[in-house]
């Protein structure tokens, strides 16, 4: 008894169609420098590639598809663009991508990082062999050999990256766990080869629908594909699944000389993540438990990680007048904004603020100060803050009786974000503080 797979009216696919080829990114000022080397590898059908020299194109390439090897090709005397160099270093820190530096001068100057290799750009044969070895090493490290999709190791690295981006940008991402609803029935009806070909066709349909920035994983479960959709909320993820199901193409399988149609009905679990504390092990466990409880082809949602995290924001009030300082402190204590918690401290003068360690923080820091202060003026304090590392974290509002246009312009040019002329209403100050936070967060 033999079961054979029949494609849905399509031409028979060439051998190796389902192989996910590795992606190598070349960075070179002159594409002709790359041609001889990449032509050898392309002829062997070993990899996909891209060539660029502009940092924006490098950034686009890194976000569109994950390279497993990056090759920096430079002639003697040329230096790598510092923006590109920094971008690659940060990228490699998360994804552990191999980097090959091809410049005899840089082999001496470049610090020897654990994932950096060095090659003589004039010895093309050795360079090609090195790239081949790194491709093989990284492919087996990051690719699930059963499906050709990205594996658990790579999932953990991408997940970590997305959590960091979520914390920084406050934009969610979503995980989508998918399975073929009738898979257990097919295991009884069809042989393993047919099952594999059905699954490969299903994966291929998924790959056609995902964006270049999305990731498709497979690990730990026979009948499961996991999608990671960056910068995507739960509603967008559900819309994607609706399109995937509506555009799904039925397959015909031949079994005991009888052809039948196979509908690729899916069950899914969507997990929208807005919390940087969400551990991937816990998220995966909950999604798989919910998937196991789904009895019909449908899509469920886990909302445990939808609530936004509360971000602490430091508030410093610097005002010499005791009564007015007390009024400002009460205002900030009453101020409520969803997703933010205000930690407030007040000072009589700017020097005592600088002498404390309160200004040291990686969090957003609102500074409300009078322009006239004991010891050091408000503008002197602004100069001090704007000269510190990560100065953009300070959102500075200056209160002043000076209403001349040149005074305001001078304050803004000195680094003040908001300038409020006395007298003013507390409601106006509250509105401006809220707008300032929304603008920068």
């Amino acid at each position: 008894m033999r079961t054979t797979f029949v494609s849905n009216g399509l031409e028979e696919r060439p051998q190796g169609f389902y192989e996910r080829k590795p992606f190598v990114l070349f960075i070179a000022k002159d594409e002709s420098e790359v041609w001889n080397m990449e032509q050898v590898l392309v002829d062997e059908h070993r990899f996909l590639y891209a060539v660029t020299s502009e940092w924006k194109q490098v950034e686009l390439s890194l976000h569109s598809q994950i390279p497993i090897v990056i090759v920096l090709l430079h002639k003697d005397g040329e230096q790598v663009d510092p923006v590109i160099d920094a971008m690659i270093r940060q990228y490699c820190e998360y994804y552990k991508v191999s980097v090959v530096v091809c410049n005899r001068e840089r082999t001496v100057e470049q610090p020897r990082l654990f994932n950096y290799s060095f090659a003589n750009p004039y010895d093309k044969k050795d360079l090609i062999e090195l790239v081949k070895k790194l491709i093989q090493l990284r492919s087996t490290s990051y690719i699930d050999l059963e499906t050709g999709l990205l594996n658990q190791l790579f999932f953990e690295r991408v997940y970590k990256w997305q959590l960091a981006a979520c914390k920084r940008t406050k934009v969610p991402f979503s995980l989508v766990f998918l399975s073929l609803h009738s898979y257990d029935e097919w295991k009884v009806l069809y042989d393993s080869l047919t099952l594999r070909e059905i699954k490969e066709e299903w994966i291929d349909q998924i790959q056609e629908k995902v964006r270049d920035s999305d990731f498709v994983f497979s690990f730990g479960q026979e009948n499961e594909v996991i999608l990671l959709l960056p910068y995507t909320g739960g509603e967008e993820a559900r819309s994607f699944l609706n399109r995937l199901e509506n555009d799904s193409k039925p397959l015909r399988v031949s079994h005991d000389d009888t052809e039948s149609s196979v509908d690729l009905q899916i069950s899914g679990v969507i997990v929208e993540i807005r919390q940087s504390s969400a551990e991937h092990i816990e998220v995966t466990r909950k999604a798989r438990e919910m998937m196991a409880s789904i009895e019909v082809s449908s899509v469920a949602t886990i909302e445990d990680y939808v609530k936004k995290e509360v971000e602490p924001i430091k508030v410093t009030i610097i005002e010499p007048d005791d009564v007015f300082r007390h009024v400002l402190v009460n205002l900030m204590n009453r101020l409520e904004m969803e997703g933010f918690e205000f930690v407030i401290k007040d000072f009589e003068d700017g020097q005592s603020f600088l002498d404390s360690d309160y200004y040291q923080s990686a969090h957003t820091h609102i500074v409300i100060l009078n322009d006239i202060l004991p010891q050091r003026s408000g503008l002197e304090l602004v100069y001090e803050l704007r000269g510190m590392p990560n100065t953009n974290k300070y959102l500075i509002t200056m209160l002043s009786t000076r209403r001349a246009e040149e005074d305001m312009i001078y304050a803004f040019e000195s680094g003040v974000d908001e300038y409020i002329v006395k007298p003013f209403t507390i409601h106006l100050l509250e509105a401006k503080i809220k707008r300032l936070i929304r603008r920068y967060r």
Side-chain angles (χ1 to χ4, degrees):
M1 183 173 65
R2 179 176 174 81
T3 302
T4 58
F5 175 78
V6 181
S7 64
N8 188 30
L10 301 175
E11 295 181 5
E12 188 171 348
R13 296 179 175 86
Q15 186 175 6
F17 178 84
Y18 294 110
E19 294 178 2
R20 271 59 178 178
K21 294 182 179 180
F23 174 60
V24 177
L25 176 63
F26 292 95
I27 301 175
K29 291 186 177 180
D30 185 356
E31 291 192 19
S32 64
E33 291 291 315
V34 181
W35 178 252
N36 290 335
M37 184 172 71
E38 58 86 5
Q39 189 62 47
V40 173
L41 294 173
V42 169
D43 287 345
E44 295 181 0
H45 307 287
R46 291 295 301 273
F47 77 113
L48 305 173
Y49 78 100
V51 183
T52 185
S53 61
E54 298 294 332
W55 73 265
K56 285 189 177 296
Q57 290 300 319
V58 172
E59 185 177 38
L60 180 62
S61 298
L62 292 179
H63 282 84
S64 63
Q65 190 170 358
I66 302 297
I68 58 176
V69 179
I70 298 175
V71 182
L72 295 171
L73 275 169
H74 289 270
K75 299 177 181 177
D76 289 346
E78 292 180 344
Q79 295 297 316
V80 177
D81 185 318
V83 176
I84 293 178
D85 197 42
M87 192 184 304
I88 291 174
R89 285 173 177 274
Q90 183 185 33
Y91 192 81
C92 293
E93 180 182 350
Y94 284 95
Y95 292 129
K96 303 299 184 288
V97 176
S98 294
V99 178
V100 179
V101 179
C102 302
N103 185 307
R104 287 185 297 186
E105 291 185 3
R106 281 181 62 81
T107 59
V108 178
E109 299 170 4
Q110 180 71 39
R112 287 186 171 272
L113 301 180
F114 71 95
N115 54 341
Y116 271 59
S117 301
F118 301 93
N120 184 344
Y122 300 103
D123 192 339
K124 294 290 177 67
K125 182 179 179 181
D126 286 349
L127 182 54
I128 290 172
E129 289 304 314
L130 174 60
V131 173
K132 285 181 179 179
K133 289 179 181 178
L134 292 174
I135 287 174
Q136 183 178 15
L137 174 64
R138 293 300 173 181
S139 294
T140 55
S141 298
Y142 291 144
I143 303 298
D144 177 69
L145 300 181
E146 178 67 23
T147 62
L149 300 177
L150 297 168
N151 65 12
Q152 182 172 357
L153 176 61
F154 204 70
F155 171 77
E156 292 173 0
R157 301 202 184 285
V158 176
Y159 188 88
K160 176 182 176 183
W161 177 280
Q162 286 302 316
L163 280 184
C166 178
K167 183 176 183 179
R168 184 179 65 255
T169 65
K170 309 303 177 187
V171 178
F173 67 97
S174 292
L175 294 178
V176 180
F177 294 75
L178 298 175
S179 66
L180 288 166
H181 183 68
S182 303
Y183 190 77
D184 289 339
E185 299 175 15
W186 296 339
K187 288 177 69 174
V188 177
L189 291 174
Y190 306 125
D191 60 26
S192 58
L193 178 61
T194 303
L195 272 176
R196 177 170 180 170
E197 291 179 331
I198 292 174
K199 186 176 178 180
E200 287 176 338
E201 176 64 24
W202 174 53
I203 290 174
D204 193 51
Q205 290 188 18
I206 294 173
Q207 294 275 46
E208 289 178 359
K209 293 298 179 183
V210 296
R211 302 166 300 187
D212 289 339
S213 58
D214 298 333
F215 299 90
V216 187
F217 302 91
S218 178
F219 58 86
Q221 300 288 323
E222 179 183 11
N223 177 30
E224 180 187 72
V225 169
I226 303 174
L227 308 181
L228 190 153
L229 312 178
Y231 308 109
T232 302
E235 289 300 319
E236 294 174 86
R238 184 175 288 273
S239 297
F240 166 79
L241 290 189
N242 290 337
R243 292 195 302 272
L244 180 65
E245 192 164 22
N246 292 337
D247 296 341
S248 176
K249 303 172 184 177
L251 305 176
R252 295 195 308 274
V253 295
S254 177
H255 181 67
D256 287 344
D257 299 326
T258 302
E259 286 192 5
S260 59
S261 178
V262 172
D263 290 326
L264 299 179
Q265 294 183 333
I266 60 173
S267 297
V269 174
I270 297 173
V271 189
E272 178 182 342
I273 297 178
R274 293 179 177 270
Q275 301 174 7
S276 60
S277 59
E279 295 288 342
H280 70 86
I281 296 176
E282 177 188 0
V283 173
T284 302
R285 177 183 59 79
K286 288 184 177 181
R288 286 174 172 171
E289 288 176 355
M290 181 168 286
M291 182 74 79
S293 67
I294 297 177
E295 297 182 354
V296 296
S297 177
S298 61
V299 177
T301 303
I302 294 177
E303 298 184 348
D304 297 8
Y305 312 100
V306 174
K307 186 177 179 180
K308 290 183 179 180
E309 289 181 309
V310 175
E311 178 185 354
I313 293 183
K314 280 189 171 183
V315 178
T316 295
I317 297 172
I318 308 173
E319 168 59 50
D321 184 272
D322 293 341
V323 175
F324 190 48
R325 188 172 67 253
H326 183 68
V327 171
L328 294 176
V329 170
N330 285 341
L331 164 67
M332 294 307 303
N333 279 326
R334 294 196 307 268
L335 187 65
E336 293 184 359
M337 290 186 68
E338 184 182 0
F340 299 103
E341 179 183 42
F342 300 105
V343 183
I344 306 163
K345 196 163 185 178
D346 60 286
F347 298 88
E348 294 183 359
D349 61 84
Q351 189 59 50
S352 58
F353 167 59
L354 294 176
D355 290 340
S356 72
D357 60 356
Y358 194 66
Y359 69 89
Q360 298 177 350
S361 171
H363 300 299
T364 302
H365 194 148
I366 297 173
V367 179
I368 303 173
L369 77 164
N370 205 325
D371 62 336
I372 301 176
L373 297 170
Q375 299 188 52
R376 306 181 71 170
S377 72
L379 285 176
E380 288 177 330
L381 187 57
V382 172
Y383 287 137
E384 193 80 27
L385 295 177
R386 290 305 181 212
M388 292 180 179
N390 193 19
T391 183
N392 289 333
K393 69 183 178 185
Y394 296 110
L395 306 181
I396 303 174
T397 296
M398 177 167 282
L399 312 179
S400 176
T401 57
R402 297 187 176 98
R403 59 181 65 247
E405 183 178 290
E406 56 267 23
D407 291 324
M408 297 181 188
I409 293 174
Y410 187 68
F412 284 123
E413 290 179 344
S414 299
V416 169
D417 296 296
E418 192 65 71
Y419 189 98
I420 302 179
V421 178
K422 297 178 181 180
F424 56 84
T425 67
I426 292 300
H427 296 299
L428 174 64
L429 177 59
E430 180 180 346
K432 286 182 176 290
I433 293 296
K434 287 183 176 180
R435 186 184 68 171
L436 203 57
I437 294 172
R438 293 192 190 99
R439 184 192 305 163
Y440 289 95
R441 299 305 302 158

